[in-house]
Amino acid sequence: MRDVANWNVPIPLLNKQATLHDVARAAGVSKSTVSLVLQGRSSVSAKTRDQVLAAIESTGYVYNRKAAALRQAQRNDLIGVIVNELNTPYSGEVLSQIEKVCFQQNLVLMFASSSDLCEKQERLVQLYMEHKVGGFILCPAPYTDRTWLERIWSSGFPLVQIMREVSFSQLPVVIADNRQGAYEAVKHLIQLGHQKIAFVGGSEEISDYQERLAGYMTALNEAGIRVPAQYICPIPQSRQAGRDGLKTVLAYDSRISAVFCFSDLVAYGVFSMAREMGIQIGKDLAVVGFDDLEDSHITHPALTTVRVEANQYAIEAMNLLRVYQHDRQAPVVRRVVPARLIIRESCGAPQQFV
Amino acid sequence: MRDVANWNVPIPLLNKQATLHDVARAAGVSKSTVSLVLQGRSSVSAKTRDQVLAAIESTGYVYNRKAAALRQAQRNDLIGVIVNELNTPYSGEVLSQIEKVCFQQNLVLMFASSSDLCEKQERLVQLYMEHKVGGFILCPAPYTDRTWLERIWSSGFPLVQIMREVSFSQLPVVIADNRQGAYEAVKHLIQLGHQKIAFVGGSEEISDYQERLAGYMTALNEAGIRVPAQYICPIPQSRQAGRDGLKTVLAYDSRISAVFCFSDLVAYGVFSMAREMGIQIGKDLAVVGFDDLEDSHITHPALTTVRVEANQYAIEAMNLLRVYQHDRQAPVVRRVVPARLIIRESCGAPQQFV
DNA sequence: AACGGATTTTGGAACGTTCCAATTGACAAA
DNA sequence: TTTGTCAATTGGAACGTTCCAAAATCCGTT
């Protein structure tokens, strides 16, 4: 033991991390006893526990979960979350809720976005498997292979799909009631007297688009309204999709009086383009969104939209994951979170609707 | 070896995860050899390598990074990221960029938000330490204790502060040029002829607020303009802050003709309230934001704002972290990412400015 | 003082890797 | 055949925990 003069270094570095063994030595007990204290077992006498706690404090010991996890392979406090894109407000809300739930349950979240690329998604899953996560929450990328997904499950990792689903996969999923939400939105427009209703935004490869489209069609069919294929204009990039989409559908038929948007983000784009074209939202053109982002009640006019509670996703998905972690044979469920229409001003609905 | 009939279970579960040992046995080599193959060492003959790869394939082996990390404590591909709040667009952009950089470098991200609570922040840091992350990227919560922060560093975990900094801490930080950005924004307003300029939003405990305030004051002082304290109206909750803040400052002095907002989100709130009050943005009232969110160019009118590139934060922070991981004695730096004024329409600036 | 039973503590194997030193094998040169 | 060299392979210790069975200690009864 010797002192090293290093006045130049502003913050001294500890030379080595203390281990259980060091703590044990400092407390004058065996490492088994320290382990018992750390696990809060009652079989330790108050006196030795205090000694051990003091030793932990004085050595600056930090528990090593890697070593612990190696021994007891069953316990695991890691959750791998893979969403399509982080940098979109709705994913942010969902992720933020998942994070909240994880924190409450003392779980640690490993997260990344697949950018809707299967290849990236596969690499991420592989990486998380190597880290031995206790389960996956996954928003599957378009064209995700069903058998690949099932292989994850069968090789021992519980998995819950979220927001989207891979068709025919026998795996649990938490998904919004896209069809019903879209149906109600479009029915609302029809009730307000609209006949020429476009559907703008979204991309055809993902399940939620298909479902919202189905809801849109159902509402129109019920009312006996037929729409030309050109009224339906899927474009992936949300805000820009709204701008381009509105232009496109109006170019096809300038009598279109209402637009059902795939998402609120698309609706913002529609707002933007409408203003440029001198169209007044809520008067000349009715607009409905989907998601109910935080900004949607302060847009002008306030956006009528379909709300899907982001925290429902998070809570249901985490609950399900817990179930499968404890019982891999538990029945596979498909949980639907409700979607409900929030009527504001962008459809020019009269006050009594609100 | 015997077959088990389980027609009822839709997806079969593997009974046990294969280990290096299993692969070795399947390939007819020793576990050391398998390890060499996994690490891509050249000392393995092509023939045995192929055997091993085939065995990995057939056993469905998944590398166990926990066990590996236990042995070679120096290498580490985990990064702990703690931001104040995920569910705000700017954090989302920054986090999304960090995630991108991590993926490129094959790093895994553990992330959570502190909700600006010191207590939560401390628990998270503790948890991540127990997982032996290779470093922290931290947006410090208000009132973060300097010595606590430095203790993280000195107990062996490199740490880079991001977006905010704890005053007097001797730790690296990547921060926006808040002062200069605010200065330019306010100077722009002054050049357009505004004299009564309010500063709305933000909260006083965080460093970036202080810096933006300083920039605002400098610009006003340089122009010889004095503002009453009531022109400055900090409120934390962004969108609502914009709404309440505008109301408050206008109630104090209705001649206020320009508002410098702490963030774009605050500006959105100002837009919303202004519309409610019948004030026309860009004509009756000039508004400048800070951040340049994606929505800010499609607001109406398009928002003049100070842009700070989110990916600059990410790239610089990750680069710095790498440096300190390799050399704990590397000089502690304070890296400033530029903030530049983007002139759009919300100040009513004439075209030639754009 | 010896005993029994409960309480508290402990040594050591195990988890799945890496890495070192040692061993084996092949082959050319003596 | 022996020797030396080099390449390829291997056994086993180590990493820092947990957990089991066994040991040690305590304490109230005989």
Side-chain angles (χ1 to χ4, degrees), chain A residues 19-35 51-52 55-56 59:
Chain A
T19 74
L20 259 198
H21 205 87
D22 301 320
V23 175
R25 201 168 28 199
V29 296
S30 76
K31 62 186 166 46
S32 306
T33 307
V34 180
S35 178
Q51 279 173 26
V52 169
I56 287 174
T59 52

Side-chain angles (χ1 to χ4, degrees), chain B residues 68-130:
Chain B
L70 189 57
R71 187 69 230 279
Q72 41 171 41
Q74 71 281 13
R75 300 223 181 293
N76 203 330
D77 63 344
L78 284 179
I79 303 293
V81 177
I82 302 175
V83 296
N84 50 333
E85 187 62 62
L86 170 65
N87 196 13
T88 159
Y90 198 67
S91 300
E93 287 188 20
V94 173
L95 197 58
S96 154
Q97 295 294 336
I98 291 178
E99 190 264 329
K100 211 161 282 177
V101 176
C102 282
F103 180 73
Q104 277 167 7
Q105 311 191 356
N106 249 308
L107 297 170
V108 174
L109 213 139
M110 291 184 151
F111 114 95
S113 70
S114 67
S115 311
D116 272 343
L117 266 35
C118 273
E119 200 194 353
K120 191 175 173 194
Q121 176 175 265
E122 290 185 18
R123 251 187 73 197
L124 286 168
V125 165
Q126 173 69 23
L127 208 55
Y128 287 0
M129 279 179 158
E130 294 182 356

Side-chain angles (χ1 to χ4, degrees), chain A residues 20 35 39 61 63 71:
Chain A
L20 259 198
S35 178
Q39 287 169 88
Y61 169 76
Y63 185 68
R71 187 69 229 281

